Amino acid sequence: MGFQPPAALLLRLFLLQGILRLLWGDLAFIPPFIRMSGPAVSASLVGDTEGVTVSLAVLQDEAGILPIPTCGVLNNETEDWSVTVIPGAVLEVTVRWKRSLDWCSSNETDSFSESPCILQTLLVSASHNSSCSAHLLIQVEIYANSSLTHNASENVTVIPNQVYQPLGPCPCNLTAGACDVRCCCDQECSSNLTTLFRRSCFTGVFGGDVNPPFDQLCSAGTTTRGVPDWFPFLCVQSPLANTPFLGYFYHGAVSPKQDSSFEVYVDTDAKDFADFGYKQGDPIMTVKKAYFTIPQVSLAGQCMQNAPVAFLHNFDVKCITNLELYQERDGIINAKIKNVALGGIVTPKVIYEEATDLDKFITNTETPLNNGSAPRIVNVEEHYIFKWNNNTISEINVKIIRAEINAHQKGIMTQRFVVKFLSYNSGNEEELSGNPGYQLGKPVRALNTNRMNNVTTLHLWQLAGRGLCTSATFKPILFGENVLSGCLLEVRINENCTQLRENAVERLDSLIQATHVAMRGNSNYADLSDGWLEIIRVDAPDPGADPLASSVNGMCLDIPAHLSIRILISDAGAVEGITQQEILGVETRFSSVNWQYQCGLTCEHKADLLPISASVQFIKIPAQLPHPLTRFQINYTEYDCNRNEVCWPQLLYPWTQYYQGELHSQCVAKGLLLLLFLTLALFLSNPWTRICKAHS
């Protein structure tokens, strides 16, 4: 509905007047015109507002002529409208409808009428000493259904409880407001349309038969052919309303779901889990009601810089960062962890160490010329140890390994972040790998009795850069994980074979700098008799021996190139239903290869690459040796259940010794009861009746 010509002309004048007044610094309403569709609107009055009064008037333009605005008579409310002013540097003027908007609903028979319920033009004037200074024109168009004050329950769709009444009484009604062909239960189909396809209507549940009589009903047996004679003895007496098809089309809540837009879970709306203590997996909170975050690796392999730390969740991750894009995280020293259960705040204790070998952390470096700029500090490793007591955190110890680099240095930096949760009474002792048995994924505990600091573990290589052995780092061997790793040795054409063997043996021996391994995950390092097994070394090479000395350059025989580590494990019982595994023995074995320098068209004086590798294999030994096969099982394989689909020896499986699901006495009782039912069914069957009639 548009304005009448006088109102449109007045609107243009007010818009022009408001723009000019803003330019001149006089009083002006912002905005100068408002289209009002609710019970209240607001505008701002800017300029020199000292001593300004505001009045409200309802303009009557039925005759097509708008009156000239006057400010001689001041009035801040009418019969239906009121205006309020909130003082300040900028006056906030609010116009409200004084009546309840239910008045619209009572006057309108159709709550969704296309014509507005209230259609008026309001004029708000600002005056100073009875002279008009600014005007605000409000066009009011309020519809009967435009208010949010209506009772929301009036238009809520009532969804029946699908436990007692089918939610979709006509599943084939797929089109709203139109007749679906062959859907005879569609209420939108007229009788004339239904006669066209009445003989081809959809049948079954899809066609509207949502409560069909199921086969076990006694009433269904009277109309169905081919019903067995024992059907009246086992049929079910039940009303049709009690049907197994209830809830067939819908499973869930009976209340309507509220529409909501997609919300991103951000730290500002973090849930505080620390008020009543942490549970495993809860994010750790700070006193500022924010998550305590440490960079972690997501499932997609990306490094998440602001990932929350979960309570009692250990992790050891590495993040790859470009030095040009590197930004130092917020200071860890200022972090204060919330610990309401203890009535205080936990502040991390931070110690710093300097990195010794930057080549392990920074690769593809490009150091610019010295331009006099100050160096910068980067964190290459961060180790966090959380001490926990029940559901609280009692202490946080942080060790940060940092490095000093050029302020404009380029390259790729590998950062490591380690988080461990230890019990408050664990002290500084080493973390166990199980209690008592080993846990999958925990390091294999080892001991070296040939040195003072005898605590160690078995290692494998973790490559970096070109994969050379000189730049490779170590990672521990984890219980239950079969792994193969290796690295490359640089060998020249005139390499001394004895020196090459010593170098290869030294690299392989560096992986097993131990003499004993722990039989259990909690073996005591101080007591060698507490389940420590000596490592068996088979075919250990002699680096000084040269089996076939040759004067030919570029060829060496029997070079140790592979280390095989075999670990025998077995189940050793159970604790609270959890199987405990232990190590029975560890064997290491070397394998040798013949190396020959690989030449192209000509043998150049450059280094060749010799790959050396190490493998770990866990072999599980059964706790009890299997029973040997009998002569019958060896000769008559057709009765072997493991080789054939049909297993005749297990025809009566519930009554054999192999069935452990129930007590043997219960199985026998149920079997006799089943035999009784079969006997009764045989006597009541139709063939038995015929035999009795024939004899009679």
Side-chain angles (χ1 to χ4, degrees), residues 23-56:
L23 295 177
W24 295 334
D26 296 337
L27 283 175
F29 281 99
I30 299 178
F33 169 75
I34 297 177
R35 183 185 293 273
M36 183 177 182
S37 59
V41 292
S42 298
S44 299
L45 181 61
V46 297
D48 186 10
T49 58
E50 185 177 358
V52 174
T53 57
V54 178
S55 62
L56 173 66

Side-chain angles (χ1 to χ4, degrees), residues 227-235 681 684-686:
V227 177
D229 296 339
W230 47 264
F231 180 79
F233 181 69
L234 298 177
C235 66
L684 297 177
S685 62
N686 197 19

Side-chain angles (χ1 to χ4, degrees), residues 314 420-422 429-434 442 445 521 525:
N314 301 338
K420 289 184 179 180
F421 284 85
L422 300 178
E429 63 188 26
E430 295 292 331
E431 184 181 1
L432 301 180
S433 295
K442 291 292 186 178
R445 295 158 63 87
Y525 284 111

Side-chain angles (χ1 to χ4, degrees), residues 152-398:
S153 62
E154 294 177 359
N155 297 326
V156 173
T157 303
V158 178
I159 299 178
N161 192 340
Q162 64 271 16
V163 177
Y164 308 104
Q165 181 179 353
L167 183 64
C170 187
C172 59
N173 185 8
L174 304 177
T175 307
C179 176
D180 292 274
V181 180
R182 297 184 59 190
C183 186
C184 295
C185 61
D186 192 349
Q187 300 297 326
E188 296 164 345
C189 296
S190 62
S191 57
N192 296 332
L193 289 176
T194 308
T195 54
L196 298 177
F197 51 80
R198 185 174 297 279
R199 295 184 179 181
S200 303
C201 293
F202 291 113
T203 59
V205 178
F206 184 71
D209 190 9
V210 294
N211 285 330
F214 47 102
D215 299 337
Q216 289 76 20
L217 278 180
C218 295
S219 58
T222 58
T223 58
T224 306
R225 296 182 179 180
V227 177
D229 296 339
W230 47 264
F231 180 79
F233 181 69
L234 298 177
C235 66
V236 178
Q237 293 285 355
S238 176
L240 292 178
N242 185 18
T243 168
F245 292 96
L246 289 177
Y248 186 75
F249 292 97
Y250 184 82
H251 296 277
V254 297
S255 60
K257 182 180 179 181
Q258 300 293 334
D259 295 334
S260 60
S261 59
F262 179 78
E263 297 179 356
V264 181
Y265 195 67
V266 294
D267 290 349
T268 56
D269 298 331
K271 277 190 175 182
D272 194 350
F273 295 93
D275 289 337
F276 302 99
Y278 294 104
K279 299 190 299 293
Q280 184 175 6
D282 288 347
I284 296 177
M285 307 296 298
T286 64
V287 294
K288 297 181 179 179
K289 293 188 178 296
Y291 292 144
F292 181 74
T293 61
I294 296 176
Q296 301 176 43
V297 177
S298 65
L299 294 177
Q302 297 177 340
C303 190
M304 311 295 292
Q305 294 294 329
N306 297 320
V309 178
F311 185 65
L312 296 183
H313 279 201
N314 301 338
F315 61 84
D316 186 350
V317 299
K318 292 185 177 181
C319 291
I320 308 299
T321 307
N322 192 335
L323 284 176
E324 294 181 339
L325 306 177
Y326 173 78
Q327 293 182 353
E328 192 66 33
R329 300 192 304 121
D330 294 337
I332 304 173
I333 302 178
N334 300 326
K336 297 182 183 298
I337 306 303
K338 189 176 182 180
N339 207 0
V340 177
L342 292 180
I345 299 173
V346 180
T347 303
K349 301 176 182 178
V350 185
I351 59 174
Y352 294 94
E353 293 183 4
E354 299 298 327
T356 56
D357 189 4
L358 286 182
D359 294 336
K360 295 181 179 180
F361 307 104
I362 302 177
T363 58
N364 300 330
T365 58
E366 297 181 11
T367 305
L369 296 176
N370 189 7
N371 53 5
S373 59
R376 62 170 175 166
I377 304 298
V378 295
N379 295 344
V380 293
E381 287 191 11
E382 296 180 8
H383 298 260
Y384 298 82
I385 297 179
F386 292 83
K387 295 293 186 68
W388 60 274
N389 183 11
N390 292 329
N391 56 356
T392 61
I393 297 175
S394 58
E395 184 180 350
I396 302 176
N397 297 319
V398 184

Side-chain angles (χ1 to χ4, degrees), residues 430-450:
E430 295 292 331
E431 184 181 1
L432 301 180
S433 295
N435 188 21
Y438 274 98
Q439 295 181 9
L440 294 178
K442 291 292 186 178
V444 175
R445 295 158 63 87
L447 200 64
N448 190 349
T449 58
N450 297 328

